[in-house]
């Protein structure tokens, strides 16, 4: 990135319904109950008036299905409280069709951890109860434990950084990769849910950008958002030595004021196969105030036609070494601003072309053809 930074200056500022299969986990319905009794009365083992039977309905009676419908409305904190207050509810919550699995599938939709797979499709037995390989029993997954594992590891960076924060960068042109990957085969055009990643920049001695790359399957392309310049840059390496890169850029947002570094929030949003970026700058004033300004967005500026494979890796790119302070503050399904996907194709956006080689970055002259 450092190679063409100077060229940027030349070109200007840019850059549960009820499930019958579970009727048996707890309080199996009696097989020989008198005809005409409700399932609740049969389960409790008695007849009597409707009012008397209704008074005897307990949590165990809800295990036939209604509880799973209600539990879909609970968040992680509430589910933890139900686990703590009742052994039966804890058993129901951890079931393979229970709310912990449903919540994880919703919260981590379209996300994958390296060597872990997606939330509902683990590729290892780390979250499974131990069982011999010769056993015919299906391995049981601790869905609550898996939810906890994903919530801790998704918003973190790979080594050498690790954790959700970066306090220092030791080398120029360093790249910090997120541990999570974006599953483009899940977040495709048929999906109604997106993935949003947000970081907060508290200290920025030089320049940093947010990007997605397709390096996981041997690709060589990236889409980068520069919060300083407001530009989105799309690049593809066409030769390794000497390195040559083909690229294009657009500038949907204005640059930050001259002499200032970007501080604030920036985010990446992938929905229905389209990318958008967000920025919220800290308004530095003469009295030392650090109020956040309004959200700005590039809109959906790129589809995924440039990417190879079905996995994208989000990352942060740092132009120079220094004492940065960046932390992941949000991983969710909704962007801070509502966005609509245009009916047009990515090719309808006018990208300005530039190519560069190591030591010899080249941008088109003023008035050169766009694409």
């Amino acid at each position: 990135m450092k190679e063409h930074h100077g060229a940027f200056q030349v070109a200007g500022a840019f850059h549960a319904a009820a499930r019958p299969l579970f009727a048996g986990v707890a309080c199996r319905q009696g097989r020989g109950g008198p005809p005409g009794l409700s399932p609740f009365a049969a389960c409790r083992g008695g007849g009597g008036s409707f009012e008397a039977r209704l008074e005897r309905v307990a949590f165990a009676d809800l295990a036939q299905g209604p509880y799973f419908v209600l539990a879909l409305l609970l968040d992680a904190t509430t589910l933890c409280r139900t686990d703590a207050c009742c052994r039966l509810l804890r058993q129901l919550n951890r079931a393979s069709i229970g709310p912990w699995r449903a919540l994880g599938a919703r919260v981590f939709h379209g996300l994958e951890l390296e060597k872990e797979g997606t939330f509902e499709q683990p590729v290892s037995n780390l979250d499974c109860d131990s069982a011999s390989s010769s056993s015919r029993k299906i391995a049981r997954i601790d869905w609550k434990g898996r939810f906890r594992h994903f919530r801790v590891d998704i918003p973190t960076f790979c080594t050498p950084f690790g954790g959700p924060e970066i306090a220092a960068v030791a080398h120029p042109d360093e790249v910090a990769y997120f541990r999570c990957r974006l599953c483009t085969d899940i977040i495709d055009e048929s999906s109604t849910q997106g993935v949003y990643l947000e970081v907060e920049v508290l200290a920025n001695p030089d320049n940093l950008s947010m990007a997605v790359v397709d390096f996981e399957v041997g690709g060589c392309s990236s889409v980068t958002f520069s919060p300083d310049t407001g530009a989105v840059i799309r690049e593809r390496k066409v030769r390794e030595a000497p390195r040559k890169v083909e690229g294009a850029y657009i500038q949907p947002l204005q640059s930050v004021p001259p002499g200032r570094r970007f501080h604030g929030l920036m985010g990446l949003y992938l929905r229905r196969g389209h990318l958008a970026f967000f920025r919220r700058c800290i308004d530095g004033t003469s009295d030392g105030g650090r109020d956040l300004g309004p959200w700005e967005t590039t809109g959906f500026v790129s589809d995924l036609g440039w990417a190879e494979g079905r996995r994208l890796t989000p990352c942060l790119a740092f132009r120079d070494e220094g004492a940065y302070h960046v932390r992941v503050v949000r991983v969710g399904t909704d962007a801070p601003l509502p966005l609509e996907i245009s009916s047009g194709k990515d090719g309808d956006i006018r990208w300005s072309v530039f190519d560069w080689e190591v030591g010899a970055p080249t941008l088109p002259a003023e008035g050169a053809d766009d694409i």
Side-chain angles (χ1 to χ4, degrees):
M1 293 191 177
K2 179 179 291 185
E3 291 87 345
H4 55 278
H5 172 71
F8 287 170
Q9 296 177 340
V10 174
F14 70 86
H15 260 24
R19 279 111 165 158
L21 293 180
F22 195 68
V25 172
C27 189
R28 186 182 303 275
Q29 180 175 336
R31 296 183 179 181
L37 288 181
S38 70
F40 292 145
C43 186
R44 298 293 292 177
S49 66
F50 174 76
E51 290 79 6
R53 296 198 303 269
L54 188 60
E55 290 177 356
R56 295 198 298 270
V57 174
F59 276 125
D61 301 322
L62 299 179
Q64 299 290 336
Y67 175 73
F68 295 107
V69 178
L70 299 174
L72 290 177
L73 304 175
L74 305 182
D75 58 13
T77 300
T78 310
L79 283 177
C80 285
R81 291 172 178 171
T82 59
D83 285 346
C85 74
C86 179
R87 181 179 299 176
L88 173 61
L89 293 185
R90 181 167 65 250
Q91 180 184 4
L92 297 177
N93 290 343
R94 291 172 178 258
S96 61
I97 57 172
W100 278 117
R101 179 178 182 176
L103 180 63
R106 185 169 64 250
V107 172
F108 306 117
H109 174 81
L111 292 170
E112 177 184 273
L113 282 173
E114 185 180 9
K115 300 180 181 180
E116 301 287 342
T118 61
F119 182 81
E120 289 196 283
Q121 294 181 332
V123 296
S124 69
N125 294 324
L126 294 178
D127 301 300
C128 300
D129 294 342
S130 59
S132 62
S133 59
S134 61
S135 175
R136 294 184 179 181
K137 294 182 179 179
I138 300 176
R140 294 175 298 170
I141 298 176
D142 178 7
W143 292 109
K144 182 179 180 179
R146 188 164 178 82
F147 183 93
R148 184 190 305 114
H149 176 60
F150 267 61
R151 187 166 66 174
V152 171
D153 285 3
I154 285 287
T156 59
F157 297 100
C158 296
T159 54
F161 299 100
E165 297 192 26
I166 296 175
V169 174
H171 308 286
D173 298 320
E174 190 78 80
V175 178
Y177 295 98
F178 283 71
R179 290 196 62 189
C180 64
R181 296 167 182 161
L182 307 179
C183 305
T184 60
D185 56 335
I186 298 177
I187 322 171
D188 56 13
E189 294 187 0
S190 64
S191 175
T192 60
Q193 189 170 307
V195 173
Y196 176 71
L197 305 177
E198 183 177 301
V199 299
E200 182 178 20
V201 181
L202 298 171
N204 179 16
D206 188 68
N207 184 281
L208 77 165
S209 300
M210 194 173 198
V212 284
V213 300
D214 65 350
F215 303 161
E216 181 62 29
V217 293
C220 53
S221 301
S222 66
V223 172
T224 304
F225 171 62
S226 168
D228 287 283
T229 63
V232 177
I233 307 153
R234 188 170 59 194
E235 296 174 290
R236 182 173 68 92
K237 182 176 66 176
V238 296
R239 188 178 63 214
E240 178 61 35
R243 178 164 297 187
K244 180 179 180 180
V245 174
E246 294 178 348
Y249 72 92
I250 57 173
Q251 187 183 3
L253 302 177
Q254 293 183 347
S255 300
V256 298
R260 287 176 52 184
R261 305 293 186 187
F262 170 77
H263 295 84
L265 302 169
M266 63 176 172
L268 175 156
Y269 186 45
L270 175 61
R271 181 170 178 264
R272 295 178 59 187
H274 291 75
L275 279 169
F277 297 92
F278 292 82
R279 179 182 73 178
R280 194 178 187 187
C281 301
I282 290 179
D283 293 331
T285 60
S286 57
D287 58 0
R290 295 178 63 85
D291 296 329
L292 283 168
W295 278 107
E296 302 173 278
T297 180
T298 63
F300 288 109
V301 292
S302 177
D303 58 23
L304 301 181
W306 54 273
E308 295 185 21
R310 297 178 296 178
R311 296 295 183 266
L312 295 178
T313 305
C315 61
L316 299 180
F318 301 88
R319 190 180 65 181
D320 215 342
E321 72 273 15
Y324 294 84
H325 187 186
V326 183
R327 61 185 182 184
V328 184
V329 294
R330 183 183 169 195
V331 178
T333 59
D334 299 316
L337 296 176
L339 289 179
E340 293 295 333
I341 298 177
S342 173
S343 58
K345 296 183 179 180
D346 185 37
D348 296 337
I349 301 176
R350 298 185 65 83
W351 294 76
S352 298
V353 180
F354 73 93
D355 298 334
W356 60 271
E357 297 184 28
V358 173
T362 302
L363 283 173
E366 191 72 24
D369 292 340
D370 295 340
I371 60 170

